[in-house]
Amino acid sequence: MESSLPKLEDLRGAAHGLMRLQDVYNLHVESLVRGHFQQISDPVDFYKLSVSDMLSGDDCFLVGKVAYDLEDYYHSVLWFEEAVRLFRGTEWSPENEGTLEDALDHLAFSHFKTGNISHALSLSRELLLHDPMNRRVHFNVEKYEKLLNENLPATSSGLTLKRPDGIYLRTRNAYEQLCQTKGSQPIRREIISLQPYVVLFHGFVTQAEAKNIRKYAMPGLRRSVVASGMNQATAEYRISKSAWLKESAHEVVGKLDQRITLVTGLNVQPPYAEYLQVVNYGIGGHYEPHFDHATSDSSPLYRLKTGNRVATIMIYLSPVQAGGSTAFIYANFSVPVVQNAALFWWNLHKNGQGNVDTLHAGCPVIVGNKWVANKWVHEYEQEFRRRCSLNPEE
C-alpha cells in the first residue's frame, strides 16, 4: 500500500506545479490558496471549481520550502507570506511539518535575500517573541539593524520582487500570453486600409485592464502638449488631457507591452518606444490633423536617439456615444471608436520617409468620455522585426 502513496518527489512536483500555475496564468497567490483562480490584474475568477478546498498554512509552507531550497526567493516570499498568515490564525497540528516560527524564520531570510531588509528585521523581531533564546535570530536582528543604519540602497520595504529568469526567457512572455487566452480565438484582426496600412485589433484589452489604466492615469493627467520647434507646448488644435505610464510601475502596462509585441513583433521597451500615453478627451475634445512621426530634424521626438516614430498603436479604453472617430485625411476614411480595440498603422515607409497618407485627426467628442492609450514605437531595433502580416510593402 505504501508504494502507491505519493512520495517526496510527488510533493515537490505538486509544489512546482502550483508555482507554474501562479506564473503562467499570473495568478494571485492568496486567491489560489483559497481555491480561486484570479489573475493579479483582474479580481474576477476566470475559472470556477465546482468544489474547492483551501490550502493550509502547512501546505503553503511546504511550497515555499521547495522554492527556498532552490534559492528561488521570489516564490518563497509569496508562499511563506501565506503560510505565516494562515499559521497566525490557527492552532498548530501534530500533522504539520512546519510551524509559525519556521515560516517566520524562512520568510525573514527570503526577504533579506531579495534586499528587503526592513521586512526581514520586522519578522525576525516577531520570531524572537516566540523564541527569545534563539541566538542566531538575535545575531540576524543585529545584522539587519546595522544594514539599515548604513542606509544601503537595497534595504527598502518598497522593493518589487523580480521573478527569476528561466531557460526560455526570450519566448516566455509570448508563451504565457498565449496560454492566458484560455483557449479562445486569437485577437481578431481587421484590415481597415492598405494605403496607409491600418489594422484594427478587436478585443485587444479587457474591461478590467482598460479600467485600471484609466485609474492609474487619473492622478497624472495634464493638458496635452504638441511638438513646437525643439520644445513642446499646449495648443488649441489639441484639446485633451494626458498622462504617461511606465510598465515598471504598473503591471497592466507591462502586459500591454507584451501583447503589442505579440501581435506586431516590435520591440516596445524604452528607449525603442515611448512610455504608454493615456489621453482623455471630454466633450468637444479633439486633435486636429497631424502626423505622429516627426517632420522636422529639430523635433523633440529625436531626443530618445532611437530615430523617428515608425509605428503607432492606439488603444480605445472607453466607449463613446457620438463623435470621437479617428479620421485619416488624405486616405479619405475614418475609424469610429471601438471599445477595447487597438488601431495600428505604420508612420514611415521602409526607406524611413514619412508616409503622408497617415495624416490623421481625432474628431471632437459629441457625447461620451473618450479615453485612449497611445504607444509610439521608434525606428531603431525594429528593422528585422517587421512581420510580413503587418507589412504589405514586403
Side-chain angles (χ1 to χ4, degrees):
M1 183 177 180
E2 184 178 344
S3 64
S4 64
L5 295 176
K7 307 282 193 304
L8 180 60
E9 180 184 2
D10 300 308
L11 179 66
R12 289 174 175 164
H16 283 297
L18 285 172
M19 288 185 278
R20 189 176 302 114
L21 291 176
Q22 169 196 344
D23 290 344
V24 172
Y25 294 104
N26 195 30
L27 298 179
H28 196 278
V29 174
E30 183 179 352
S31 299
L32 186 59
V33 168
R34 291 187 285 108
H36 296 277
F37 292 89
Q38 294 179 352
Q39 293 180 312
I40 293 173
S41 58
D42 189 348
V44 179
D45 287 18
F46 72 82
Y47 181 78
K48 290 188 177 181
L49 296 168
S50 55
V51 178
S52 63
D53 199 5
M54 287 183 58
L55 296 180
S56 67
D58 197 50
D59 294 330
C60 296
F61 177 77
L62 290 171
V63 176
K65 188 67 166 56
V66 169
Y68 182 93
D69 290 342
L70 293 172
E71 299 183 355
D72 174 6
Y73 301 111
Y74 167 83
H75 289 101
S76 69
V77 162
L78 296 170
W79 286 93
F80 284 145
E81 282 181 342
E82 289 304 303
V84 167
R85 181 180 66 83
L86 292 168
F87 275 141
R88 279 174 177 156
T90 57
E91 292 185 5
W92 184 78
S93 167
E95 295 184 359
N96 289 350
E97 290 193 24
T99 63
L100 174 59
E101 292 82 354
D102 290 331
L104 287 169
D105 196 10
H106 285 79
L107 178 56
F109 188 74
S110 296
H111 273 304
F112 166 68
K113 293 298 288 185
T114 59
N116 198 333
I117 310 300
S118 58
H119 268 43
L121 176 60
S122 175
L123 292 161
S124 297
R125 285 172 173 167
E126 182 180 350
L127 177 54
L128 286 177
L129 297 177
H130 300 275
D131 188 7
M133 304 305 293
N134 192 317
R135 296 178 62 183
R136 177 178 56 80
V137 179
H138 275 289
F139 173 79
N140 286 343
V141 167
E142 292 177 3
K143 178 172 68 173
Y144 299 154
E145 288 175 338
K146 181 179 178 182
L147 290 171
L148 286 173
N149 289 333
E150 292 173 354
N151 292 319
L152 293 181
T155 58
S156 168
S157 60
L159 287 172
T160 301
L161 288 173
K162 184 179 184 300
R163 185 174 158 195
D165 295 337
I167 299 173
Y168 303 105
L169 182 62
R170 292 182 62 187
T171 57
R172 184 173 75 183
N173 290 341
Y175 155 67
E176 292 177 358
Q177 187 66 50
L178 289 169
C179 290
Q180 290 174 28
T181 60
K182 298 168 250 180
S184 61
Q185 292 297 314
I187 296 170
R188 183 167 69 88
R189 188 185 70 181
E190 177 185 356
I191 297 177
I192 303 296
S193 167
L194 291 176
Q195 181 54 40
Y197 190 69
V198 180
V199 177
L200 186 68
F201 294 102
H202 293 265
F204 190 80
V205 294
T206 66
Q207 294 276 60
E209 288 171 337
K211 181 179 179 181
N212 282 333
I213 293 170
R214 297 196 305 267
K215 180 180 73 173
Y216 294 142
M218 283 288 287
L221 286 176
R222 300 290 185 273
R223 175 74 185 273
S224 297
V225 297
V226 297
S228 177
M230 296 183 66
N231 301 307
Q232 292 182 320
T234 59
E236 286 303 310
Y237 62 83
R238 187 181 193 186
I239 304 299
S240 63
K241 290 184 177 182
S242 60
W244 299 84
L245 300 182
K246 298 181 180 180
E247 61 90 18
S248 58
H250 305 290
E251 184 179 9
V252 66
V253 178
K255 288 184 66 176
L256 282 194
D257 284 351
Q258 294 170 16
R259 203 168 300 153
I260 292 170
T261 297
L262 188 68
V263 299
T264 66
L266 297 173
N267 181 353
V268 298
Q269 298 305 307
Y272 305 113
E274 298 169 43
Y275 295 125
L276 189 73
Q277 185 198 50
V278 182
V279 186
N280 177 220
Y281 298 87
I283 301 299
H286 73 131
Y287 193 173
E288 291 187 359
H290 64 282
F291 295 108
D292 280 358
H293 61 274
T295 56
S296 167
D297 292 340
S298 62
S299 170
L301 296 182
Y302 289 114
R303 290 175 185 168
L304 284 177
K305 300 187 185 303
T306 49
N308 209 341
R309 287 173 173 171
V310 68
T312 295
I313 187 158
M314 183 169 64
I315 306 165
Y316 298 111
L317 301 175
S318 67
V320 172
Q321 286 72 35
S325 295
T326 302
F328 287 81
I329 315 303
Y330 293 149
N332 195 31
F333 69 89
S334 64
V335 183
V337 173
V338 180
Q339 186 178 11
N340 300 335
L343 197 65
F344 172 92
W345 67 88
W346 295 111
N347 293 306
L348 307 180
H349 293 294
K350 288 197 67 179
N351 62 7
Q353 297 298 310
N355 186 346
V356 296
D357 286 332
T358 63
L359 183 75
H360 63 286
C363 300
V365 176
I366 302 171
V367 180
N369 196 9
K370 180 182 175 183
W371 286 83
V372 300
N374 295 310
K375 190 74 172 183
W376 288 298
V377 186
H378 284 236
E379 291 176 275
Y380 295 0
E381 287 289 311
Q382 313 298 349
E383 290 83 356
F384 65 100
R385 294 173 180 268
R386 289 192 176 195
R387 292 185 176 176
C388 294
S389 59
L390 284 177
N391 190 8
E393 296 183 32
E394 290 187 334

